[in-house]
Amino acid sequence: MDKDFFWSIFTTIFGIIATWTGLIYTTRFRFDNSKFFEHIKYITPLPQTVNYWFLKVLFIFGGLMCVVLGLYGILEGIPYRTNGAV
């Protein structure tokens, strides 16, 4: 196993955390009342509702993309043997 395998594991874990953040942690109440989202509220000149859904979709899409690419890297990094069959 090479270092790409371990980076793939890290990418998969990051993707799971990002997906969890988009699905569960980012709620409308937290977005409106938390200091964590203070600067992200005004990321575009659009209303805050659009910014909320934009952030939520980015977290979910980016997280799922990291999970898929990380799992692909993990599966590519696992050594396997064949019995001479092609």
Side-chain angles (χ1 to χ4, degrees):
M1 289 189 231
D2 54 355
K3 63 181 180 179
D4 290 340
F5 180 76
F6 297 107
W7 280 110
S8 297
I9 292 173
F10 176 74
T11 303
T12 305
I13 292 170
F14 180 80
I16 291 170
I17 292 170
T19 305
W20 171 82
T21 303
L23 290 175
I24 297 171
Y25 183 76
T26 307
T27 61
R28 185 64 192 193
F29 179 78
R30 283 191 182 132
F31 187 78
D32 287 338
N33 300 321
S34 176
K35 287 192 176 269
F36 180 75
F37 296 108
E38 189 66 35
H39 299 290
I40 301 173
K41 286 183 195 178
Y42 308 107
I43 198 166
T44 66
L46 299 171
Q48 284 189 9
T49 303
V50 175
N51 290 338
Y52 166 72
W53 284 107
F54 179 68
L55 178 70
K56 198 163 180 76
V57 167
L58 280 179
F59 271 131
I60 294 169
F61 180 71
L64 290 176
M65 193 167 58
C66 285
V67 168
V68 169
L69 292 175
L71 289 176
Y72 176 75
I74 289 171
L75 293 176
E76 286 292 317
I78 296 174
Y80 61 93
R81 290 187 188 180
T82 60
N83 294 330
V86 177

